[in-house]
């Protein structure tokens, strides 16, 4: 009886490479999404007043607001012209806008400009074309297609 031929060892190299590449792709994609979600550069908000604030006299009847109801999300990325937002950020600090029911001390969105923005000057220039605006807000992200400018009127 002779020595039987030893069984061929199983080659696991290709499997290890494929699993490693998949792991790097999954972790890399998750890391990029996490990084981008924390990279919002919401700068100077509800700032730059162009005209005196409009005061609302509750004793004086006026037309009923005909604004659409806010979307299910309160995230200002989904706000539309005619809706209102409120600033829940600290006074003098970074703004934190949320979609809200239109009421005194909220800001009505008069116009929304979607697309690339370069900051304060761009927001001022865009809103300068909007009659009646008192304030502006812009969102500048790493992904220009997510940028927007809101032209607002203080209620």
């Amino acid at each position: 009886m002779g020595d039987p031929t030893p069984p061929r060892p199983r080659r696991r190299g290709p499997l290890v490479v494929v699993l490693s590449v998949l792991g790097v792709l999954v972790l890399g994609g998750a890391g990029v999404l996490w990084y981008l979600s924390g990279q919002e550069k919401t700068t100077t908000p509800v700032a730059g007043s162009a005209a005196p604030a409009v005061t609302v006299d509750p004793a004086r009847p006026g037309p009923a607001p005909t604004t659409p109801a806010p979307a299910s999300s309160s995230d200002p990325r989904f706000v539309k012209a005619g809706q209102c937002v409120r600033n829940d950020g600290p006074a003098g600090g970074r703004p934190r806008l949320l979609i809200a029911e239109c009421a005194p001390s909220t800001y009505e969105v008069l116009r929304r400009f979607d697309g690339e923005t370069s900051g304060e000057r761009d927001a001022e220039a865009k809103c300068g074309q909007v009659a009646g605006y008192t304030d502006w807000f812009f969102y500048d992200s790493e992904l220009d297609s997510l940028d927007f400018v809101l032209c607002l009127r203080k209620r």
Side-chain angles (χ1 to χ4, degrees):
M1 280 202 177
D3 276 337
T5 309
R8 284 179 68 183
R10 295 185 86 189
R11 297 181 66 189
R12 294 186 184 166
L15 179 61
V16 170
V17 170
V18 169
L19 290 177
S20 296
V21 168
L22 284 175
V24 168
L25 290 174
V26 168
L27 290 175
V32 167
L33 289 175
W34 174 79
Y35 176 77
L36 289 177
S37 70
Q39 287 300 309
E40 83 180 44
K41 292 189 278 182
T42 311
T43 52
T44 318
V46 181
S49 288
V54 176
T55 51
V56 177
D57 183 0
R60 198 167 120 212
T66 59
T67 58
S72 60
S73 171
S74 62
D75 191 322
R77 291 179 296 168
F78 306 111
V79 72
K80 297 177 180 129
Q83 290 183 303
C84 291
V85 293
R86 71 175 187 269
N87 184 4
D88 278 358
R94 186 176 180 174
R96 183 170 178 256
L97 295 187
L98 297 172
I99 297 175
E101 292 292 326
C102 293
S105 299
T106 60
Y107 297 89
E108 180 181 356
V109 178
L110 299 177
R111 178 116 187 242
R112 177 187 175 107
F113 293 92
D114 288 308
E116 183 178 357
T117 183
S118 57
E120 293 180 28
R121 288 185 181 173
D122 183 48
E124 288 173 359
K126 287 176 178 173
C127 290
Q129 305 168 14
V130 178
Y133 96 97
T134 59
D135 299 280
W136 47 262
F137 173 86
F138 71 92
Y139 178 87
D140 185 16
S141 71
E142 294 292 322
L143 190 57
D144 288 337
S145 64
L146 297 178
D147 294 355
F148 63 89
V149 172
L150 300 177
C151 303
L152 309 167
R153 179 178 56 98
K154 179 87 171 178
R155 293 183 65 105

